[in-house]
Amino acid sequence: KRMKARAPPPPNQPSAASRIHSEPKSPAETSVISDQNLVSMKENMINRLVDFTVVLPSGMEQKCTVEGSKAVMDVLVDLCSQYHLNPSQHSLELKSSGTQQVLSYKPNTLIGALDVQTVLLKEKIPEEKAKRPLPRVPEKSVRLVVNYLKTQKAVVRVSPEVPLHNIIPAICEKCEVSQEHIVLLRDGITGEELELTKSLEELGIKELYAWDRKKEPNRKASVSSDAIEKEKTRLLGLFNADRRSSK
């Protein structure tokens, strides 16, 4: 009898090791592997030496190399010690390589875990110093005697160094005169109109006459009547002085 042909051998079976690698992994197993890779990457970054440029408060730049396993706070202390600075009065601003963006960190963050290229050593501004406004220099002022409405007087404290047109609002408010109708005269006798571009200091006066064109339409009459009143006052003073001397 003819013998049947032998059956062909089965296809090659994968080895146990290859089966382990080819078998689909569960999400949990994948997560463990990715975590292990991340830890390995972090360890490599932390264990490396970190080179960066230090910008001192003076603006001077220095090259520096530190171990990646060093905390940022320790880097601050070391840098301040190296350049004879007080760590409590300084802080670090870290900038990334390439984009130069400011990096956020905690004092205990390891320098090797950050992509640092530039380190700015900055002096802290005390809160009180930052909020305290600059002291104001007291403005120089003088007492200006303003005669108005023939017999009225007012005292206004103004700057002697500014042009007269700058002090007109204060005079008008004190004497209740409209700015549209006021004219400043040297006195009530001569009726000399003052230049508003000059200051009291330039004119050498501390007294003037404010003529209200609305309430005193006739300037000459107003000036002459004021002169008469002043002359009466002067003569009365002389008369009283003569009486006192004759007693």
Side-chain angles (χ1 to χ4, degrees), residues 75-94:
V75 175
L76 170 63
V77 174
D78 291 347
L79 290 175
C80 288
S81 175
Q82 182 178 350
Y83 297 107
H84 309 290
L85 301 172
N86 188 342
S88 62
Q89 298 176 0
H90 293 79
S91 62
L92 294 183
E93 182 179 297
L94 309 182

Side-chain angles (χ1 to χ4, degrees), residues 63-225:
K63 297 294 183 181
C64 187
T65 301
V66 298
E67 295 180 359
S69 58
K70 187 166 290 190
V72 175
M73 181 55 66
D74 294 334
V75 175
L76 170 63
V77 174
D78 291 347
L79 290 175
C80 288
S81 175
Q82 182 178 350
Y83 297 107
H84 309 290
L85 301 172
N86 188 342
S88 62
Q89 298 176 0
H90 293 79
S91 62
L92 294 183
E93 182 179 297
L94 309 182
K95 290 189 176 182
S96 65
S97 58
T99 59
Q100 287 293 300
Q101 290 184 345
V102 178
L103 300 172
S104 59
Y105 64 89
K106 294 181 180 180
N108 59 350
T109 302
L110 302 183
I111 192 75
L114 301 169
D115 183 21
V116 180
Q117 184 181 33
T118 308
V119 174
L120 282 78
L121 186 55
K122 305 178 74 172
E123 184 178 3
K124 292 181 181 178
I125 301 176
E127 189 174 351
E128 293 182 1
K129 186 177 179 181
K131 291 184 177 180
R132 187 184 304 166
L134 295 174
R136 293 185 61 183
V137 178
E139 186 179 353
K140 182 181 178 182
S141 63
V142 295
R143 294 171 74 253
L144 173 66
V145 178
V146 182
N147 301 285
Y148 66 104
L149 293 179
K150 300 179 183 178
T151 58
Q152 302 296 314
K153 283 182 180 289
V155 177
V156 186
R157 185 161 285 278
V158 294
S159 170
E161 299 173 348
V162 300
L164 290 185
H165 61 74
N166 284 12
I167 65 175
I168 283 180
I171 294 175
C172 291
E173 183 180 358
K174 191 74 174 182
C175 302
E176 298 181 351
V177 180
S178 171
Q179 294 188 38
E180 298 176 358
H181 303 128
I182 194 173
V183 178
L184 300 184
L185 308 176
R186 182 175 288 274
D187 52 49
I189 300 174
T190 63
E192 178 189 347
E193 191 170 335
L194 297 172
E195 293 184 39
L196 300 184
T197 56
K198 292 187 176 181
S199 66
L200 294 174
E201 204 169 66
E202 289 174 316
L203 295 168
I205 60 173
K206 292 185 179 179
E207 185 174 358
L208 53 77
Y209 190 93
W211 174 48
D212 188 346
R213 290 178 295 184
K214 185 176 181 181
K215 295 180 181 179
E216 305 172 87
N218 192 336
R219 175 174 170 180
K220 290 184 178 180
S222 173
V223 170
S224 61
S225 63

